[in-house]
Every structure is written in structure tokens, then in C-alpha cells.
Amino acid sequence: MSTPSTSRRTFLAVAGTVSAAGLLPPVLAPGAAAARSTVDRLARDPWERVPEILARIRPPTFPGRRFDITRHGAVGDGRTKNTKAFRDAIKACHQAGGGRVVVPRGRFLTGAVHLRSNVELHVQSGGTILFSKDPKDYLPAVFTRWEGTECWNYSSFVYARGRHDIAITGPGTLDGQGMDGPWKSWRDPGGNALADQAELRRMGTEGVPVAERIFGDGHHLRPNMIQFYDCRNILIQDVTILEPPMWTIHPVLCRNVTLRNVDVVGRINNSDGVDPECTSDMLITGCRFHTEDDSIAVKSGRDEDGHRVGVPSEDIVVRDCVFSGRWGGIAVGSEMSGGVRNVFAEDCRINPLDFPGRFNPRHPVFIKTNKKRGGSIEGVYVRRFTGRAIDRDCVYLTTRYGGQQGGRPAVIRDIRVEDMVHDGARRAINLEGLDSDPFTGVHIARCRFTNMAQPNSIGFARDLTIRDVLVNGSEVVYP
């Protein structure tokens, strides 16, 4: 564990970092111009943009019509398959001009549920949508994006493409039965998921037409729990979502998305909580994530296929959430080749005693890319995070993710972490950059880190500022 120095004020190089040359390349050595640039940048408060973003985010509203799935033949005994009843109720609601499709008390087994415009799927208290463990219930294959690469694959459990004004609301439950179906065996050693994953990535890298990237039946790419593709005006509110087969909530190429007061619990690997991908104007507030991967991971496509689509994720606001996910709390990447801009996260708790993870999370702030991904991450702003007991680093930025090499720039710039209070971790700060692609404009201020086991590690960070930061009682300041 690091110990306080004789003086309570130390410089970064003393705190176990690389040399000053690695921190600040000679071309931008300290001087009047660099100092003026830093002062000017810090004087502009990026949080002033948040009200404008929130003004554009408006949850959809729905007509007062009600369509109970039991009136379309659904039986809530947990055994009868109700796929047709869901389809018929949603169709009737849509054709009537919209309204609420109601799932009452009971356990309603179903295959894929495809939403239509102007439809709110409402699960009442005591009601559960229980998703089938049979992969054939998610066929025919649909147009989707799987880990950042477009293809045709099994339908997500709840799916919509090209729709508007859609919602899933509570206070009931969506249960994916992810650990009980075949999904885990596909990804476990001896399964076939990795071979299909490699083949899809090859297709994306080589530019194979998307129409020829056919997976689904006979293949082993796990579907997402909820995926909305190229949709707008979306609300997910109050529901509890259990045991996804993979990523839980995955809006792709969507606009105007609200995720409010949602609990996500997943034990299967890669069970991210929510993955906004190429999505803009999204609010995530009051949600709790207990997953086996990142809680929130902002994405925008993978490698060559992400560059081909070329749409960033931007203007995303995260507030008042709880992160007990195995990896990152607020994460960006690694599939971010289309770029990410303007992510704001505030007032979140990491691994609190009232919502602890099965395993300790690893990084409250996790920003990740590499030179194969390319793209840029610009403008991630985090403030007032509190937490305890994580396995690795409180603030972790890396342009070496996965050790993958490539020829594209790996850009991470304009990152702020302020007013973080955290007790118990490997390190407070780990900036793992590259000499060829240094971080630019990283600012860490007014943070308190206690019980850090190792010193900070800082490499290749240009225009770095650290102010009023205590690590194990010693003040760390730069420059």
C-alpha cells in the first residue's frame, strides 16, 4: 500500500509514474502556450451542455387503449408458449393507432417479441415475461449488430427495427433464463461461439456484404436480450431484467432514448447492462446494474465495419445509477470505431454495501480502445462518483486494449474526472497510453482515494492536469 510522504504534497513522478518525458512529449513541454491552452480549456464547463441535451430527450407517450395479452390467448402458467399471443396483441395495438399491451400477473413463456411503432409493452406487478430456452424461438434471423459488426443472426428476445415511439415499462420482470438455456455452453470452452465470432470479424474486416453474413440457425452467436435497431423515441422504465443470454439492453443507431429506474441482473459472461451503440440523445437514470461485464458501455461499431457505418454515439447522460458490474461502471469502448462524443456521468455509486456485486467490480471509469479500432473518444465527463472495494483501478484509460495492433490512430481526449471518492482499489489512476497516440486533455480534480495498494501509473498523457487529488493522504499535483 502506498504511504504518505513526509510532505502531504507530492508530484506525479514521485507517485510511481513514468518519467516526465513519457507524460508530456517535448513538443508540448510546459510553457506559456501550453499553460494558456490548459487554462482556457478548463474555464469552459462542458456540463453547461447537459440541459440542452436533456431538452431533446422526451419519453414517448401512448394512447389510452389497453390490449391484455390474455385476451389474445396468452396463458401465464410458465409452460404454455405464448409467442403468437404477444404477436397478435402487439399487432392489434399498432393497427388501432397505438396504446399499451399489458402483461398481467403470471409467468408468460414466449419466444421473440417484436415491437411495433406506438406500442408500450407494460408488465404489471407480479407479471413475468419468461423467454424460451429454445434458440429456434428466435428465428427467422433478423438484421442486427453483433459485438459491433453487422450481420443476420438470432433475433434479440425483444426486438424492433425502424420503429418509433416504443416502450417497455414495469413494475414486472423480464426473465431471459440465460444461465438455464444453451447460451452459456456456446461461449464456454468447447462451445462454437468463438469460431463464429472469428468468422464474423473476418467478414467485417474483409468487407463481405452484410447480406452474406448469415448466422442464426446452426451457429452460436448469442442474441442480445433487448435490441432496438434504427429506432427513435424509446422508453424503458421500472422493469427488472434478469439473466440475459448476452448484452442486456442494446440500442443501435437510435435517437431519443430514456432508460429510467431499471434493475439489470445477469450472471452469464458478457452480460453488459446497457450498450448504447451509434446512439444519440440518451438518458440513463436511477438504474442498478449487477452484471458479469460492464454496467454501461458506450459503443459505435467494431474495426473496419464500424468505420464503414461511421456513426458516433454522442450526447449521453448518466445519472444516479449503481454499478456492481464485474468490469467497468461507466465504460467507453472497446467497439467504438465510429467515435464517441459527449458522455456525461454523475452521482453514481460503485459496489455499495446495499447493492454489492458477487465479485468486486474492476473499474468505475473504464475508457478503452486500440490502434486496430481507430475512431476517437472525445469528451467523457465524470463527477461525484463514490465507491468501495474494486479489484483494479478507479480511473483506467487505455489505448492498448486487448493488445491488438493496427495502423489507425487511437484517440482519447478531453476526459474529466472530478469529485470522486473511493476506498479500496489497486490504483487510483492508470493512464495506459502510447507514445504514438498520447492522451490529450485529461483533467482529474478534487478526488479522494484511500486504501490504494499501488502507486498511480501514468504513461503518455499530453496536457494532463491533476489538482486537489489525495491518494492515501498524499496530494498529487500535475503539472
Side-chain angles (χ1 to χ4, degrees), residues 423-468:
D423 181 68
R426 179 175 65 182
R427 293 188 185 95
I429 303 167
N430 185 1
L431 306 186
E432 188 180 68
L434 294 167
D435 189 11
S436 61
D437 301 86
F439 303 119
T440 304
V442 177
H443 171 58
I444 304 173
R446 301 182 306 278
C447 296
R448 302 291 182 265
F449 301 104
T450 53
N451 289 312
M452 300 293 112
Q454 298 180 24
N456 296 327
S457 178
I458 313 285
F460 305 108
R462 176 185 295 168
D463 191 19
L464 169 69
T465 61
I466 299 181
R467 293 285 186 274
D468 190 16

mmCIF file of all heavy atoms in Angstrom, residues 423-468:
data_model
loop_
_atom_site.group_PDB
_atom_site.id
_atom_site.type_symbol
_atom_site.label_atom_id
_atom_site.label_comp_id
_atom_site.label_asym_id
_atom_site.label_seq_id
_atom_site.Cartn_x
_atom_site.Cartn_y
_atom_site.Cartn_z
ATOM 1 N N ASP A 423 -12.746 4.166 -1.842
ATOM 2 C CA ASP A 423 -11.963 3.470 -0.830
ATOM 3 C C ASP A 423 -11.722 2.026 -1.266
ATOM 4 O O ASP A 423 -12.668 1.253 -1.426
ATOM 5 C CB ASP A 423 -12.695 3.469 0.513
ATOM 6 C CG ASP A 423 -11.877 2.772 1.596
ATOM 7 O OD1 ASP A 423 -10.838 3.314 1.984
ATOM 8 O OD2 ASP A 423 -12.290 1.669 2.022
ATOM 9 N N GLY A 424 -10.442 1.671 -1.491
ATOM 10 C CA GLY A 424 -10.090 0.286 -1.764
ATOM 11 C C GLY A 424 -9.990 -0.034 -3.237
ATOM 12 O O GLY A 424 -11.000 -0.205 -3.905
ATOM 13 N N ALA A 425 -8.748 -0.122 -3.750
ATOM 14 C CA ALA A 425 -8.522 -0.466 -5.150
ATOM 15 C C ALA A 425 -7.049 -0.795 -5.322
ATOM 16 O O ALA A 425 -6.233 -0.601 -4.413
ATOM 17 C CB ALA A 425 -8.919 0.685 -6.070
ATOM 18 N N ARG A 426 -6.703 -1.281 -6.520
ATOM 19 C CA ARG A 426 -5.289 -1.471 -6.827
ATOM 20 C C ARG A 426 -4.599 -0.110 -6.993
ATOM 21 O O ARG A 426 -3.593 0.168 -6.373
ATOM 22 C CB ARG A 426 -5.131 -2.300 -8.099
ATOM 23 C CG ARG A 426 -3.683 -2.529 -8.502
ATOM 24 C CD ARG A 426 -3.581 -3.457 -9.700
ATOM 25 N NE ARG A 426 -4.167 -2.878 -10.908
ATOM 26 C CZ ARG A 426 -4.234 -3.523 -12.080
ATOM 27 N NH1 ARG A 426 -3.775 -4.767 -12.167
ATOM 28 N NH2 ARG A 426 -4.777 -2.953 -13.123
ATOM 29 N N ARG A 427 -5.188 0.734 -7.874
ATOM 30 C CA ARG A 427 -4.635 2.061 -8.114
ATOM 31 C C ARG A 427 -5.757 3.072 -8.203
ATOM 32 O O ARG A 427 -6.886 2.745 -8.590
ATOM 33 C CB ARG A 427 -3.869 2.116 -9.441
ATOM 34 C CG ARG A 427 -2.600 1.318 -9.533
ATOM 35 C CD ARG A 427 -1.868 1.652 -10.832
ATOM 36 N NE ARG A 427 -0.698 0.828 -11.027
ATOM 37 C CZ ARG A 427 -0.692 -0.300 -11.742
ATOM 38 N NH1 ARG A 427 -1.816 -0.701 -12.329
ATOM 39 N NH2 ARG A 427 0.412 -0.997 -11.876
ATOM 40 N N ALA A 428 -5.435 4.315 -7.933
ATOM 41 C CA ALA A 428 -6.379 5.395 -8.172
ATOM 42 C C ALA A 428 -6.456 5.717 -9.657
ATOM 43 O O ALA A 428 -7.540 5.809 -10.235
ATOM 44 C CB ALA A 428 -5.963 6.641 -7.381
ATOM 45 N N ILE A 429 -5.297 5.886 -10.310
ATOM 46 C CA ILE A 429 -5.236 6.359 -11.693
ATOM 47 C C ILE A 429 -4.286 5.473 -12.479
ATOM 48 O O ILE A 429 -3.147 5.231 -12.060
ATOM 49 C CB ILE A 429 -4.742 7.823 -11.756
ATOM 50 C CG1 ILE A 429 -5.643 8.740 -10.920
ATOM 51 C CG2 ILE A 429 -4.663 8.305 -13.196
ATOM 52 C CD1 ILE A 429 -5.044 10.113 -10.671
ATOM 53 N N ASN A 430 -4.753 4.999 -13.635
ATOM 54 C CA ASN A 430 -3.906 4.251 -14.556
ATOM 55 C C ASN A 430 -4.188 4.763 -15.964
ATOM 56 O O ASN A 430 -5.242 4.468 -16.539
ATOM 57 C CB ASN A 430 -4.185 2.749 -14.459
ATOM 58 C CG ASN A 430 -3.238 1.917 -15.319
ATOM 59 O OD1 ASN A 430 -2.358 2.447 -15.988
ATOM 60 N ND2 ASN A 430 -3.420 0.600 -15.310
ATOM 61 N N LEU A 431 -3.273 5.551 -16.506
ATOM 62 C CA LEU A 431 -3.390 6.062 -17.870
ATOM 63 C C LEU A 431 -2.384 5.312 -18.723
ATOM 64 O O LEU A 431 -1.185 5.573 -18.668
ATOM 65 C CB LEU A 431 -3.137 7.572 -17.918
ATOM 66 C CG LEU A 431 -3.973 8.443 -16.978
ATOM 67 C CD1 LEU A 431 -3.718 9.920 -17.259
ATOM 68 C CD2 LEU A 431 -5.456 8.128 -17.095
ATOM 69 N N GLU A 432 -2.888 4.370 -19.516
ATOM 70 C CA GLU A 432 -2.041 3.430 -20.255
ATOM 71 C C GLU A 432 -2.053 3.837 -21.730
ATOM 72 O O GLU A 432 -2.805 3.296 -22.540
ATOM 73 C CB GLU A 432 -2.590 2.012 -20.056
ATOM 74 C CG GLU A 432 -1.727 0.915 -20.597
ATOM 75 C CD GLU A 432 -2.359 -0.443 -20.336
ATOM 76 O OE1 GLU A 432 -3.413 -0.743 -20.942
ATOM 77 O OE2 GLU A 432 -1.812 -1.201 -19.517
ATOM 78 N N GLY A 433 -1.235 4.824 -22.046
ATOM 79 C CA GLY A 433 -1.244 5.371 -23.396
ATOM 80 C C GLY A 433 -0.146 4.806 -24.275
ATOM 81 O O GLY A 433 0.564 3.867 -23.916
ATOM 82 N N LEU A 434 -0.008 5.418 -25.445
ATOM 83 C CA LEU A 434 1.004 5.042 -26.419
ATOM 84 C C LEU A 434 1.809 6.276 -26.788
ATOM 85 O O LEU A 434 1.264 7.382 -26.894
ATOM 86 C CB LEU A 434 0.366 4.462 -27.682
ATOM 87 C CG LEU A 434 -0.369 3.131 -27.549
ATOM 88 C CD1 LEU A 434 -1.207 2.869 -28.786
ATOM 89 C CD2 LEU A 434 0.633 1.991 -27.337
ATOM 90 N N ASP A 435 3.104 6.095 -27.024
ATOM 91 C CA ASP A 435 3.948 7.190 -27.463
ATOM 92 C C ASP A 435 3.422 7.804 -28.750
ATOM 93 O O ASP A 435 3.415 9.028 -28.922
ATOM 94 C CB ASP A 435 5.373 6.664 -27.665
ATOM 95 C CG ASP A 435 6.367 7.778 -27.916
ATOM 96 O OD1 ASP A 435 6.000 8.955 -27.733
ATOM 97 O OD2 ASP A 435 7.520 7.476 -28.282
ATOM 98 N N SER A 436 2.915 6.955 -29.654
ATOM 99 C CA SER A 436 2.400 7.439 -30.940
ATOM 100 C C SER A 436 1.047 8.107 -30.818
ATOM 101 O O SER A 436 0.654 8.894 -31.688
ATOM 102 C CB SER A 436 2.284 6.262 -31.925
ATOM 103 O OG SER A 436 1.383 5.282 -31.413
ATOM 104 N N ASP A 437 0.285 7.806 -29.745
ATOM 105 C CA ASP A 437 -1.076 8.309 -29.575
ATOM 106 C C ASP A 437 -1.290 8.701 -28.113
ATOM 107 O O ASP A 437 -2.019 8.031 -27.378
ATOM 108 C CB ASP A 437 -2.096 7.243 -29.991
ATOM 109 C CG ASP A 437 -1.943 6.805 -31.427
ATOM 110 O OD1 ASP A 437 -1.120 5.892 -31.690
ATOM 111 O OD2 ASP A 437 -2.629 7.366 -32.278
ATOM 112 N N PRO A 438 -0.669 9.791 -27.664
ATOM 113 C CA PRO A 438 -0.831 10.167 -26.258
ATOM 114 C C PRO A 438 -2.238 10.665 -25.972
ATOM 115 O O PRO A 438 -2.915 11.212 -26.838
ATOM 116 C CB PRO A 438 0.189 11.296 -26.092
ATOM 117 C CG PRO A 438 0.335 11.877 -27.458
ATOM 118 C CD PRO A 438 0.187 10.726 -28.414
ATOM 119 N N PHE A 439 -2.685 10.428 -24.742
ATOM 120 C CA PHE A 439 -3.934 11.040 -24.297
ATOM 121 C C PHE A 439 -3.776 12.560 -24.323
ATOM 122 O O PHE A 439 -2.697 13.094 -24.051
ATOM 123 C CB PHE A 439 -4.277 10.605 -22.868
ATOM 124 C CG PHE A 439 -4.375 9.122 -22.679
ATOM 125 C CD1 PHE A 439 -3.534 8.470 -21.800
ATOM 126 C CD2 PHE A 439 -5.308 8.380 -23.378
ATOM 127 C CE1 PHE A 439 -3.621 7.098 -21.618
ATOM 128 C CE2 PHE A 439 -5.418 7.009 -23.203
ATOM 129 C CZ PHE A 439 -4.569 6.367 -22.322
ATOM 130 N N THR A 440 -4.847 13.253 -24.621
ATOM 131 C CA THR A 440 -4.805 14.710 -24.716
ATOM 132 C C THR A 440 -5.910 15.310 -23.858
ATOM 133 O O THR A 440 -7.075 14.940 -23.990
ATOM 134 C CB THR A 440 -4.994 15.169 -26.177
ATOM 135 O OG1 THR A 440 -4.008 14.538 -26.995
ATOM 136 C CG2 THR A 440 -4.845 16.676 -26.293
ATOM 137 N N GLY A 441 -5.532 16.231 -22.983
ATOM 138 C CA GLY A 441 -6.532 16.958 -22.217
ATOM 139 C C GLY A 441 -7.234 16.130 -21.170
ATOM 140 O O GLY A 441 -8.462 16.153 -21.059
ATOM 141 N N VAL A 442 -6.479 15.365 -20.366
ATOM 142 C CA VAL A 442 -7.055 14.628 -19.243
ATOM 143 C C VAL A 442 -6.976 15.514 -18.001
ATOM 144 O O VAL A 442 -5.914 16.062 -17.680
ATOM 145 C CB VAL A 442 -6.323 13.298 -19.007
ATOM 146 C CG1 VAL A 442 -6.898 12.580 -17.783
ATOM 147 C CG2 VAL A 442 -6.418 12.407 -20.246
ATOM 148 N N HIS A 443 -8.089 15.644 -17.300
ATOM 149 C CA HIS A 443 -8.168 16.545 -16.145
ATOM 150 C C HIS A 443 -8.820 15.782 -14.994
ATOM 151 O O HIS A 443 -9.940 15.280 -15.120
ATOM 152 C CB HIS A 443 -9.004 17.774 -16.506
ATOM 153 C CG HIS A 443 -9.326 18.661 -15.352
ATOM 154 N ND1 HIS A 443 -8.365 19.238 -14.565
ATOM 155 C CD2 HIS A 443 -10.520 19.078 -14.838
ATOM 156 C CE1 HIS A 443 -8.929 19.979 -13.630
ATOM 157 N NE2 HIS A 443 -10.240 19.890 -13.766
ATOM 158 N N ILE A 444 -8.106 15.678 -13.864
ATOM 159 C CA ILE A 444 -8.607 14.986 -12.679
ATOM 160 C C ILE A 444 -8.514 15.966 -11.512
ATOM 161 O O ILE A 444 -7.448 16.542 -11.263
ATOM 162 C CB ILE A 444 -7.805 13.701 -12.402
ATOM 163 C CG1 ILE A 444 -7.836 12.782 -13.635
ATOM 164 C CG2 ILE A 444 -8.354 12.975 -11.175
ATOM 165 C CD1 ILE A 444 -6.929 11.569 -13.530
ATOM 166 N N ALA A 445 -9.628 16.183 -10.817
ATOM 167 C CA ALA A 445 -9.634 17.235 -9.795
ATOM 168 C C ALA A 445 -10.534 16.854 -8.620
ATOM 169 O O ALA A 445 -11.537 16.158 -8.767
ATOM 170 C CB ALA A 445 -10.119 18.554 -10.398
ATOM 171 N N ARG A 446 -10.137 17.326 -7.438
ATOM 172 C CA ARG A 446 -10.940 17.253 -6.218
ATOM 173 C C ARG A 446 -11.385 15.820 -5.914
ATOM 174 O O ARG A 446 -12.548 15.542 -5.636
ATOM 175 C CB ARG A 446 -12.147 18.184 -6.305
ATOM 176 C CG ARG A 446 -11.772 19.652 -6.524
ATOM 177 C CD ARG A 446 -13.000 20.547 -6.555
ATOM 178 N NE ARG A 446 -13.975 20.100 -7.537
ATOM 179 C CZ ARG A 446 -13.903 20.387 -8.830
ATOM 180 N NH1 ARG A 446 -12.909 21.109 -9.326
ATOM 181 N NH2 ARG A 446 -14.843 19.952 -9.659
ATOM 182 N N CYS A 447 -10.442 14.899 -5.955
ATOM 183 C CA CYS A 447 -10.751 13.486 -5.713
ATOM 184 C C CYS A 447 -10.030 13.013 -4.451
ATOM 185 O O CYS A 447 -8.957 13.501 -4.107
ATOM 186 C CB CYS A 447 -10.331 12.632 -6.905
ATOM 187 S SG CYS A 447 -11.228 12.985 -8.442
ATOM 188 N N ARG A 448 -10.630 12.020 -3.794
ATOM 189 C CA ARG A 448 -10.057 11.431 -2.594
ATOM 190 C C ARG A 448 -10.047 9.920 -2.752
ATOM 191 O O ARG A 448 -11.097 9.279 -2.863
ATOM 192 C CB ARG A 448 -10.883 11.818 -1.349
ATOM 193 C CG ARG A 448 -10.993 13.335 -1.142
ATOM 194 C CD ARG A 448 -9.657 13.943 -0.751
ATOM 195 N NE ARG A 448 -9.743 15.375 -0.495
ATOM 196 C CZ ARG A 448 -9.469 16.316 -1.403
ATOM 197 N NH1 ARG A 448 -9.125 15.962 -2.639
ATOM 198 N NH2 ARG A 448 -9.551 17.593 -1.095
ATOM 199 N N PHE A 449 -8.840 9.348 -2.740
ATOM 200 C CA PHE A 449 -8.669 7.909 -2.907
ATOM 201 C C PHE A 449 -7.959 7.369 -1.671
ATOM 202 O O PHE A 449 -6.864 7.841 -1.315
ATOM 203 C CB PHE A 449 -7.839 7.600 -4.150
ATOM 204 C CG PHE A 449 -8.422 8.121 -5.441
ATOM 205 C CD1 PHE A 449 -7.893 9.253 -6.051
ATOM 206 C CD2 PHE A 449 -9.494 7.477 -6.037
ATOM 207 C CE1 PHE A 449 -8.411 9.730 -7.245
ATOM 208 C CE2 PHE A 449 -10.027 7.950 -7.239
ATOM 209 C CZ PHE A 449 -9.491 9.089 -7.837
ATOM 210 N N THR A 450 -8.536 6.376 -1.025
ATOM 211 C CA THR A 450 -7.929 5.770 0.153
ATOM 212 C C THR A 450 -7.783 4.270 -0.046
ATOM 213 O O THR A 450 -8.500 3.649 -0.842
ATOM 214 C CB THR A 450 -8.777 6.041 1.409
ATOM 215 O OG1 THR A 450 -10.135 5.638 1.169
ATOM 216 C CG2 THR A 450 -8.765 7.527 1.752
ATOM 217 N N ASN A 451 -6.823 3.694 0.672
ATOM 218 C CA ASN A 451 -6.534 2.256 0.608
ATOM 219 C C ASN A 451 -6.234 1.814 -0.823
ATOM 220 O O ASN A 451 -6.750 0.790 -1.295
ATOM 221 C CB ASN A 451 -7.680 1.440 1.198
ATOM 222 C CG ASN A 451 -7.775 1.584 2.702
ATOM 223 O OD1 ASN A 451 -6.763 1.465 3.399
ATOM 224 N ND2 ASN A 451 -8.965 1.865 3.196
ATOM 225 N N MET A 452 -5.380 2.592 -1.487
ATOM 226 C CA MET A 452 -4.866 2.218 -2.802
ATOM 227 C C MET A 452 -3.615 1.361 -2.598
ATOM 228 O O MET A 452 -2.685 1.758 -1.886
ATOM 229 C CB MET A 452 -4.530 3.446 -3.634
ATOM 230 C CG MET A 452 -5.709 4.376 -3.906
ATOM 231 S SD MET A 452 -6.983 3.668 -4.982
ATOM 232 C CE MET A 452 -8.355 3.492 -3.813
ATOM 233 N N ALA A 453 -3.569 0.184 -3.206
ATOM 234 C CA ALA A 453 -2.488 -0.762 -2.949
ATOM 235 C C ALA A 453 -1.204 -0.416 -3.688
ATOM 236 O O ALA A 453 -0.108 -0.766 -3.228
ATOM 237 C CB ALA A 453 -2.933 -2.174 -3.328
ATOM 238 N N GLN A 454 -1.307 0.256 -4.841
ATOM 239 C CA GLN A 454 -0.136 0.550 -5.652
ATOM 240 C C GLN A 454 -0.162 2.014 -6.076
ATOM 241 O O GLN A 454 -1.225 2.639 -6.107
ATOM 242 C CB GLN A 454 -0.100 -0.352 -6.891
ATOM 243 C CG GLN A 454 -0.001 -1.834 -6.590
ATOM 244 C CD GLN A 454 0.018 -2.669 -7.865
ATOM 245 O OE1 GLN A 454 0.378 -2.204 -8.934
ATOM 246 N NE2 GLN A 454 -0.370 -3.933 -7.727
ATOM 247 N N PRO A 455 1.010 2.555 -6.458
ATOM 248 C CA PRO A 455 1.053 3.931 -6.924
ATOM 249 C C PRO A 455 0.326 4.104 -8.254
ATOM 250 O O PRO A 455 0.080 3.140 -8.983
ATOM 251 C CB PRO A 455 2.552 4.215 -7.089
ATOM 252 C CG PRO A 455 3.244 3.132 -6.338
ATOM 253 C CD PRO A 455 2.331 1.941 -6.387
ATOM 254 N N ASN A 456 0.007 5.345 -8.578
ATOM 255 C CA ASN A 456 -0.545 5.659 -9.896
ATOM 256 C C ASN A 456 0.431 5.246 -10.985
ATOM 257 O O ASN A 456 1.646 5.200 -10.773
ATOM 258 C CB ASN A 456 -0.795 7.167 -10.030
ATOM 259 C CG ASN A 456 -1.840 7.669 -9.069
ATOM 260 O OD1 ASN A 456 -2.775 6.962 -8.743
ATOM 261 N ND2 ASN A 456 -1.660 8.908 -8.620
ATOM 262 N N SER A 457 -0.108 4.975 -12.166
ATOM 263 C CA SER A 457 0.711 4.670 -13.333
ATOM 264 C C SER A 457 0.236 5.553 -14.472
ATOM 265 O O SER A 457 -0.917 5.459 -14.897
ATOM 266 C CB SER A 457 0.577 3.192 -13.712
ATOM 267 O OG SER A 457 1.325 2.905 -14.868
ATOM 268 N N ILE A 458 1.119 6.419 -14.953
ATOM 269 C CA ILE A 458 0.740 7.392 -15.971
ATOM 270 C C ILE A 458 1.720 7.292 -17.119
ATOM 271 O O ILE A 458 2.927 7.435 -16.933
ATOM 272 C CB ILE A 458 0.772 8.840 -15.426
ATOM 273 C CG1 ILE A 458 0.064 8.920 -14.081
ATOM 274 C CG2 ILE A 458 0.188 9.803 -16.435
ATOM 275 C CD1 ILE A 458 -1.424 8.865 -14.120
ATOM 276 N N GLY A 459 1.209 7.053 -18.321
ATOM 277 C CA GLY A 459 2.083 6.993 -19.474
ATOM 278 C C GLY A 459 1.503 7.708 -20.668
ATOM 279 O O GLY A 459 0.365 7.454 -21.049
ATOM 280 N N PHE A 460 2.276 8.644 -21.235
ATOM 281 C CA PHE A 460 1.945 9.293 -22.491
ATOM 282 C C PHE A 460 0.608 10.035 -22.424
ATOM 283 O O PHE A 460 -0.343 9.713 -23.118
ATOM 284 C CB PHE A 460 1.968 8.294 -23.649
ATOM 285 C CG PHE A 460 3.277 7.569 -23.758
ATOM 286 C CD1 PHE A 460 3.389 6.234 -23.408
ATOM 287 C CD2 PHE A 460 4.410 8.252 -24.162
ATOM 288 C CE1 PHE A 460 4.601 5.574 -23.480
ATOM 289 C CE2 PHE A 460 5.639 7.599 -24.228
ATOM 290 C CZ PHE A 460 5.747 6.259 -23.892
ATOM 291 N N ALA A 461 0.569 11.002 -21.523
ATOM 292 C CA ALA A 461 -0.613 11.843 -21.370
ATOM 293 C C ALA A 461 -0.208 13.289 -21.622
ATOM 294 O O ALA A 461 0.556 13.871 -20.844
ATOM 295 C CB ALA A 461 -1.212 11.697 -19.979
ATOM 296 N N ARG A 462 -0.671 13.848 -22.697
ATOM 297 C CA ARG A 462 -0.349 15.215 -23.078
ATOM 298 C C ARG A 462 -1.395 16.170 -22.491
ATOM 299 O O ARG A 462 -2.579 15.874 -22.511
ATOM 300 C CB ARG A 462 -0.328 15.311 -24.609
ATOM 301 C CG ARG A 462 -0.109 16.689 -25.171
ATOM 302 C CD ARG A 462 -0.231 16.658 -26.692
ATOM 303 N NE ARG A 462 0.825 15.848 -27.284
ATOM 304 C CZ ARG A 462 0.830 15.464 -28.572
ATOM 305 N NH1 ARG A 462 -0.174 15.778 -29.356
ATOM 306 N NH2 ARG A 462 1.822 14.752 -29.048
ATOM 307 N N ASP A 463 -0.918 17.316 -22.010
ATOM 308 C CA ASP A 463 -1.823 18.321 -21.450
ATOM 309 C C ASP A 463 -2.637 17.725 -20.297
ATOM 310 O O ASP A 463 -3.856 17.831 -20.238
ATOM 311 C CB ASP A 463 -2.739 18.882 -22.547
ATOM 312 C CG ASP A 463 -3.511 20.109 -22.106
ATOM 313 O OD1 ASP A 463 -3.099 20.726 -21.121
ATOM 314 O OD2 ASP A 463 -4.539 20.429 -22.730
ATOM 315 N N LEU A 464 -1.923 17.058 -19.397
ATOM 316 C CA LEU A 464 -2.535 16.438 -18.223
ATOM 317 C C LEU A 464 -2.558 17.430 -17.073
ATOM 318 O O LEU A 464 -1.578 18.121 -16.804
ATOM 319 C CB LEU A 464 -1.722 15.204 -17.812
ATOM 320 C CG LEU A 464 -2.043 14.564 -16.458
ATOM 321 C CD1 LEU A 464 -3.415 13.916 -16.483
ATOM 322 C CD2 LEU A 464 -0.962 13.543 -16.099
ATOM 323 N N THR A 465 -3.691 17.524 -16.370
ATOM 324 C CA THR A 465 -3.758 18.337 -15.158
ATOM 325 C C THR A 465 -4.375 17.511 -14.039
ATOM 326 O O THR A 465 -5.387 16.840 -14.238
ATOM 327 C CB THR A 465 -4.586 19.621 -15.361
ATOM 328 O OG1 THR A 465 -5.925 19.282 -15.712
ATOM 329 C CG2 THR A 465 -3.988 20.494 -16.442
ATOM 330 N N ILE A 466 -3.740 17.572 -12.877
ATOM 331 C CA ILE A 466 -4.259 16.942 -11.665
ATOM 332 C C ILE A 466 -4.226 17.984 -10.562
ATOM 333 O O ILE A 466 -3.182 18.573 -10.277
ATOM 334 C CB ILE A 466 -3.445 15.694 -11.275
ATOM 335 C CG1 ILE A 466 -3.512 14.647 -12.390
ATOM 336 C CG2 ILE A 466 -3.928 15.117 -9.960
ATOM 337 C CD1 ILE A 466 -2.761 13.365 -12.084
ATOM 338 N N ARG A 467 -5.378 18.235 -9.956
ATOM 339 C CA ARG A 467 -5.493 19.284 -8.953
ATOM 340 C C ARG A 467 -6.314 18.785 -7.757
ATOM 341 O O ARG A 467 -7.372 18.167 -7.947
ATOM 342 C CB ARG A 467 -6.217 20.512 -9.533
ATOM 343 C CG ARG A 467 -5.450 21.231 -10.617
ATOM 344 C CD ARG A 467 -4.288 22.054 -10.024
ATOM 345 N NE ARG A 467 -3.646 22.854 -11.047
ATOM 346 C CZ ARG A 467 -2.676 22.419 -11.846
ATOM 347 N NH1 ARG A 467 -2.239 21.172 -11.710
ATOM 348 N NH2 ARG A 467 -2.130 23.217 -12.745
ATOM 349 N N ASP A 468 -5.825 19.057 -6.559
ATOM 350 C CA ASP A 468 -6.564 18.751 -5.332
ATOM 351 C C ASP A 468 -6.984 17.279 -5.302
ATOM 352 O O ASP A 468 -8.141 16.942 -5.063
ATOM 353 C CB ASP A 468 -7.784 19.674 -5.206
ATOM 354 C CG ASP A 468 -8.449 19.580 -3.838
ATOM 355 O OD1 ASP A 468 -7.810 19.046 -2.909
ATOM 356 O OD2 ASP A 468 -9.610 20.009 -3.714
#
